[in-house]
Amino acid sequence: GDRLLRALHALVDPVTAAVSLWALAWLIEGTLALHWLLLSVLAFALAFPERTPTQAPLGSVAARLLASWSWVVLVLWLAGLVMGRPDMLASRVLLHWLWVVPLVQLAAHVALWRAAPWLLRLHGAPQQAVVVGMNAQGQVLARRLRQGARAGITLVGWFDDRHPARLPADDTQTRLGTL
């Protein structure tokens, strides 16, 4: 299940960059000319694979998308400069493409993030985890497992050998017993 999610995640940015260019060329020019197809292949290659962490906060994802998209645009502009076409990015299609892609990519990341639990369930029951030892590190691990529920791992509970009076008051998970 996790491999499917990682594969989809790696394809989000390159696919949205290519498909956005195709859609804009079709909407603005009424056709999908060869130069748009070639440019979309180049944009796909530059954006692949997506490297934003799957569990990153939305603001971090947006900043990463803008940075990586700026890099793609810079490379395309430099390619136009080298080919003697510095006006290459002045086309109406490309001017719209410059601002549409980051928005579509962000929306695609949010959609994938929301669909992650469903996609993981397609591959069977979620993995289960237990925490052994509810010390400070065990509490951090338990909190991360609960917050990362979209990763397909369910926290069942925890084990600890200490006397109940010495244990932290954690009523969010079940104490399963001692070792």
Side-chain angles (χ1 to χ4, degrees):
D2 190 37
R3 278 189 253 169
L4 171 67
L5 204 53
R6 279 187 291 195
L8 289 173
H9 186 75
L11 291 171
V12 166
D13 288 357
V15 167
T16 54
V19 171
S20 296
L21 180 59
W22 299 344
L24 286 167
W26 186 266
L27 288 171
I28 293 172
E29 295 182 352
T31 185
L32 187 55
L34 180 61
H35 62 277
W36 296 131
L37 289 173
L38 294 174
L39 184 60
S40 70
V41 169
L42 180 59
F44 185 98
L46 290 171
F48 183 81
E50 163 51 34
R51 292 172 187 88
T52 304
T54 55
Q55 299 296 326
L58 189 59
S60 162
V61 170
R64 176 81 172 100
L65 289 174
L66 284 175
S68 63
W69 183 241
S70 298
W71 181 83
V72 170
V73 170
L74 177 66
V75 169
L76 293 175
W77 180 77
L78 289 173
L81 204 60
V82 168
M83 293 185 300
R85 298 276 325 266
D87 62 333
M88 184 175 83
L89 294 179
S91 155
R92 275 187 44 210
V93 171
L94 291 179
L95 288 174
H96 287 296
W97 190 52
L98 294 177
W99 66 266
V100 165
V101 168
L103 295 177
V104 172
Q105 287 176 340
L106 187 60
H109 278 274
V110 168
L112 184 59
W113 183 75
R114 289 190 177 180
W118 179 78
L119 291 169
L120 289 169
R121 279 193 302 271
L122 287 176
H123 284 274
Q127 295 177 344
Q128 295 182 334
V130 295
V131 175
V132 178
M134 232 17 207
N135 54 14
Q137 293 90 350
Q139 290 175 330
V140 169
L141 177 59
R143 185 173 56 252
R144 286 186 180 166
L145 285 169
R146 284 191 302 267
Q147 290 172 346
R150 295 183 182 279
I153 301 174
T154 302
L155 180 61
V156 177
W158 50 275
F159 291 96
D160 201 308
D161 284 339
R162 293 180 288 175
H163 187 275
R166 293 186 54 220
L167 294 173
D170 185 355
D171 58 354
T172 59
Q173 286 300 323
T174 306
R175 179 176 184 210
L176 301 171
T178 61
L179 296 174

